[in-house]
Amino acid sequence: MAEIKAFKGMRYTSAGGDLNTLVCPPYDIISEAQRENYIRENPYNIIRLELPAGGEERYREAGNTLRDWLDKKVLACDDEESIYVYEMSFTANEAKNSLKGFVSLVGLSDFSEGVVLPHEETLSKAKEDRFNLMSQTFCNFSQIYSLYMDEDGSVYSLIDGCSKGIPDMSVTDPDGTVHRMWCVSDKNVIEKVSDAFKGKKLYIADGHHRYETALRFHKEVHEGNSGYIAMMLVNLENPGLVVFPTHRIVKGLENFEVSKIIEECRQYFDIAEAPGEERMQAALNEKYKDGKKAFAMYTGSGKCYVMTLKDEGAVKKLLPDMSDAYCGLDVSVLHSLVLERIFGIDKENMANQRNLTYTRSRQEALEAVDIDGADCSFILNPTKVSEIRDVALASEKMPQKSTYFYPKLITGLVMNKFSDLK
């Protein structure tokens, strides 16, 4: 069962200044120039804790900075244990949308226990960075984003009823997304929410690295603690859930020849030229609507090839031990049949990003070929939320960077302080 627990969230006080100048997007999508701008606007910006700069001492410096801010009352923990209803209002795919969930502590459990389920592979370098930071700050500053099944809508009904008044916090990020949060300390509501999660599974949408880091931290550093991590929990059937694709950029391959690659790919795919970005995207949209397994290969100068899988059992034949859910993913098709089998980019190569890098920006994927000299890029359709659930239920993981949930949670509204710093 998923264990849900209220906590005394650590939040900014008025001593820090305007909350809009204190929060930031997730650390892993912030450039160094953006980081400097946040600090220039307000030296108390959370980025100084979440993404400390410098050498090996940067993690220790983050711990010292946190102590200083707590001493100055720039940050303080709430007096009452609460859950925090969190709503994001945003525009995606040219439509206005909103998504509402809540932040609470969740009991840590190994993936093998089947309570918290991952859906994609992780990169070891990122986990080491997060572990070093957590070991010096004893905090998780940003929430893990997880999904749950709420068939009768009872949980959503509870949290929605607690978020009708003026929010306790509200900020607008650079993309125009409005983030609102309500602090809920009503013990009756908290108990009902906690009871509702008995027997539920949680599916990590975003934050695999941080979850695995928390497991390691509580085993190696924080022994004796029961082990909890802060999560943003959202109903899997929420109509506001938006998943963007993550595109692939291939570079540095020896003897890369477009005509040869296309010929080899024909054994698995029907291939049609779709010159220009608009025609390519229109073709991919049509394939997505029809439930076809397809993606586009861009080779530069406006040349696009839409590749549609001929035999939907092709990946299963190569990977008979993997589930139908895994074998039916567009990214599994691309990785198994093209990147590994034809390009010779093995899983270790992918994990180390030697010949393969990732981007959410379609424009960046195209420009990587036209401007930066990459061999080609692959433009994908988004993974469906139901596919993410089915892969997790099969106790399997998608290839890394398979999904990009939008919008990203803002960092700095509420934080989880495990205990007093050493």
Side-chain angles (χ1 to χ4, degrees), residues 91-130:
T91 299
N93 301 319
E94 301 181 349
K96 291 185 177 181
N97 214 336
S98 67
L99 181 70
K100 186 179 290 184
F102 70 97
V103 175
S104 74
L105 295 189
V106 173
L108 288 163
S109 62
D110 288 320
F111 293 143
S112 60
E113 296 176 33
V115 177
V116 179
L117 301 171
H119 79 264
E120 67 181 23
E121 298 288 353
T122 54
L123 304 173
S124 56
K125 183 178 179 181
K127 286 186 284 189
E128 194 64 27
D129 168 67
R130 292 298 93 184

Side-chain angles (χ1 to χ4, degrees), residues 308-327:
T308 307
L309 187 64
K310 293 178 180 178
D311 176 11
E312 295 202 357
V315 176
K316 186 71 172 179
K317 291 173 185 174
L318 290 176
L319 305 172
D321 294 332
M322 300 301 287
S323 69
D324 291 343
Y326 179 91
C327 294

Side-chain angles (χ1 to χ4, degrees), residues 32-47:
E32 181 55 32
Q34 289 171 319
R35 182 187 181 280
E36 291 174 1
N37 285 337
Y38 284 121
I39 296 172
R40 191 178 299 116
E41 186 176 14
N42 191 327
Y44 292 123
N45 189 283
I46 192 64
I47 195 65

